Amino acid sequence: MRGIPSSFLILFFVFVFLTEIISYFGVRILINRSPKKVRIFLSIFYFLVSVAATGLLLFAFSNPEVLRQSRNYTFFIFVISVTFLNLFPKIFFAFMTILSFLIRWLAGRRMQRITIAGSFLICSGIILAISYGILFGRFDLNVVKQDLYFDNLPPQADGLIIVQLSDIHLGSFGKNPAVLKETLKIIADIQPDLLFFTGDIVNNFADEMHGFEPYLKQFRAKYGKFAIQGNHDYGDYSSWPDSTSKIQNLTRIRQGFTRAGFTLLLNQSAKVNIQDTSIYILGVENWGHPPFPQYARLDLALDSLPSGTFKILLSHDPAHWNARVVPETDIPLTLSGHTHGGQFGIKIAGIEFSPIYFSQKNWGGLYRNGIQYLYVNKGLGTIGYPGRIDMRPEITVLTLHRIKNH
């Protein structure tokens, strides 16, 4: 909420107020044939819920430091949850209420009531979906398996199994290790050759890693596990008393990776020996379109690498791939995260879509440009909305092959 113009806040709360009023008109149309006592009770109930939810939101916007500086995200998660549950269904209901007056003019009062009643049922479904996402969706792990084929992959690396994790955002789990415990079991069963983490281990603070490091440390991979930082791992979204405090927080986060057994790549490369050959893992710091910070130095990660070697790049923001990786390098495989798949998606006829597409074209899954591939992991954790709706937390399993076997 830092830096939000007051004019935007005024317009936002005018929008919220109008949404509440118009939705109330829709409710009145829906209950106008009910007994008087029922109408009074439902009207009071609607009023109390609206005032409480809007008041909570107003308090949050009026006291941004309470949320931004808190090391406990419980209140922040509560505010976001209440806002989603209250406002999102009412935005739809308000729109349908306005539309119902046009329907009334064209087809009469009966069709208006049918429209309002149908809209109310849809809103109930929206509330259930949001609630399910918060209570269950964010814990419903999805293992995604993908085979990739490369002409320049060393024969010794044919069949190499990679597990990719991303965007855990430990602070959003509080002290609940359930997701990490389940992830640990899945990785133990897979027995990967390499394990990669592509950024955003925390929301803001190094303290969020406390209690989770023992689980992270148990992650195993034959040839090692490597990590990079994401935009949330720099403390850029919190106000610090001085630059030293921010640097200390960053240092502690990096130390947390090391204690957990990860090789943290900061615009660096690492050589992985496989039998009598080798491949290189490159890791860059965060790169992103503004307002996301840009610390990536791909040139440093590529510096002094032998020509003709097979390279895998870890870069948190998938926008980096189209902007820099494809036009400037021949890196065959880039692994990213950052998007969370929008934490909301729709699947129709086997085709998955997320609204985040409109801001991030490469938002989830596998992408290809010539001989170069990008895989975008949808993340294990959440940020903002503390749930997932038809966009399950993901563990990616990539199997690399030298040539296509058919």
Side-chain angles (χ1 to χ4, degrees):
M1 285 170 281
R2 177 178 54 189
I4 298 178
S6 58
S7 57
F8 173 84
L9 291 179
I10 292 172
L11 289 174
F12 174 74
F13 278 100
V14 167
F15 172 77
V16 170
F17 179 75
L18 289 176
T19 298
E20 295 285 1
I21 293 297
I22 295 170
S23 295
Y24 178 70
F25 280 124
V27 171
R28 291 290 297 181
I29 293 170
L30 190 64
I31 65 174
N32 65 356
R33 295 183 181 179
S34 302
K36 183 178 180 180
K37 289 184 177 180
V38 173
R39 294 199 306 271
I40 292 174
F41 172 78
L42 292 178
S43 295
I44 293 174
F45 179 77
Y46 181 95
F47 175 78
L48 292 176
V49 170
S50 297
V51 168
T54 304
L56 186 66
L57 192 60
L58 183 61
F59 173 81
F61 274 101
S62 301
N63 300 273
E65 294 301 317
V66 173
L67 299 183
R68 189 163 65 237
Q69 295 302 105
S70 176
R71 303 298 178 103
N72 186 332
Y73 294 97
T74 302
F75 180 65
F76 173 77
I77 290 173
F78 179 70
V79 171
I80 295 295
S81 299
V82 170
T83 300
F84 270 72
L85 287 167
N86 178 68
L87 196 56
F88 272 57
K90 286 180 179 176
I91 291 173
F92 173 78
F93 193 65
F95 172 79
M96 294 305 297
T97 297
I98 295 172
L99 183 62
S100 76
F101 284 97
L102 176 61
I103 293 173
R104 174 181 170 177
W105 180 67
L106 294 173
R109 290 178 179 270
R110 183 171 180 273
M111 286 305 300
Q112 181 188 32
R113 286 180 54 81
I114 292 174
T115 300
I116 293 291
S119 302
F120 181 80
L121 290 176
I122 293 174
C123 288
S124 299
I126 294 173
I127 293 173
L128 289 175
I130 293 173
S131 300
Y132 179 87
I134 294 172
L135 297 174
F136 305 106
R138 66 190 183 119
F139 300 105
D140 185 19
L141 296 184
N142 185 30
V143 179
V144 178
K145 297 182 179 181
Q146 179 75 56
D147 292 294
L148 299 176
Y149 301 87
F150 303 92
D151 289 337
N152 62 336
L153 182 72
Q156 297 91 331
D158 188 24
L160 191 76
I161 298 175
I162 294 170
V163 165
Q164 181 193 2
L165 306 175
S166 195
D167 299 86
I168 299 180
H169 290 280
L170 289 170
S172 297
F173 288 112
K175 298 300 180 183
N176 185 354
V179 168
L180 281 191
K181 283 184 176 180
E182 183 63 24
T183 301
L184 183 58
K185 292 179 183 177
I186 292 171
I187 292 176
D189 289 339
I190 295 170
Q191 296 183 338
D193 295 306
L194 288 166
L195 175 65
F196 297 139
F197 177 73
T198 48
D200 281 359
I201 192 72
V202 298
N203 293 343
N204 291 293
F205 307 109
D207 295 349
E208 297 168 38
M209 300 182 74
H210 291 173
F212 293 107
E213 288 172 346
Y215 300 101
L216 296 171
K217 192 172 183 178
Q218 292 179 64
F219 292 164
R220 296 282 187 270
K222 182 177 180 180
Y223 298 114
K225 51 188 187 181
F226 300 85
I228 57 172
Q229 292 184 217
N231 53 294
H232 280 268
D233 296 328
Y234 293 89
D236 288 329
Y237 305 114
S238 182
S239 295
W240 300 93
D242 50 59
S243 59
T244 301
S245 298
K246 182 179 178 182
I247 293 172
Q248 289 175 342
N249 183 71
L250 177 60
T251 300
R252 289 168 58 209
I253 290 173
R254 291 176 174 176
Q255 290 172 343
F257 276 112
T258 302
R259 286 194 299 270
F262 284 91
T263 298
L264 183 61
L265 299 175
L266 305 172
N267 297 323
Q268 297 168 306
S269 64
K271 183 179 180 181
V272 175
N273 295 315
I274 301 174
Q275 298 180 36
D276 59 349
T277 190
S278 59
I279 65 174
Y280 283 83
I281 313 303
L282 286 64
V284 294
E285 296 194 58
N286 188 65
W287 186 98
H289 292 301
F292 297 110
Q294 295 189 357
Y295 303 111
R297 289 290 305 276
L298 186 55
D299 58 324
L300 294 180
L302 286 166
D303 187 44
S304 301
L305 289 187
S307 61
T309 57
F310 188 85
K311 298 177 284 291
I312 300 173
L313 172 65
L314 311 182
S315 181
H316 180 65
D317 192 324
H320 190 211
W321 188 65
N322 275 326
R324 295 286 186 270
V325 179
V326 170
E328 299 176 8
T329 78
D330 62 351
I331 296 172
L333 177 59
T334 300
L335 303 180
S336 299
H338 183 57
T339 69
H340 301 207
Q343 296 176 208
F344 167 74
I346 300 171
K347 292 181 182 177
I348 301 176
I351 299 174
E352 190 175 42
F353 175 77
S354 171
I356 201 173
Y357 168 82
F358 296 108
S359 64
Q360 185 74 266
K361 301 301 181 184
N362 299 333
W363 60 269
L366 184 66
Y367 301 88
R368 181 177 181 179
N369 188 318
I371 60 172
Q372 294 176 281
Y373 289 91
L374 166 70
Y375 192 90
V376 183
N377 178 286
K378 301 182 184 76
L380 273 181
T382 62
I383 194 71
Y385 166 60
R388 287 177 175 263
I389 302 174
D390 212 9
M391 191 62 63
R392 297 163 63 189
E394 179 176 322
I395 299 170
T396 307
V397 182
L398 304 173
T399 304
L400 308 191
H401 303 276
R402 178 172 170 78
I403 56 174
K404 200 164 185 176
N405 297 320
H406 63 270

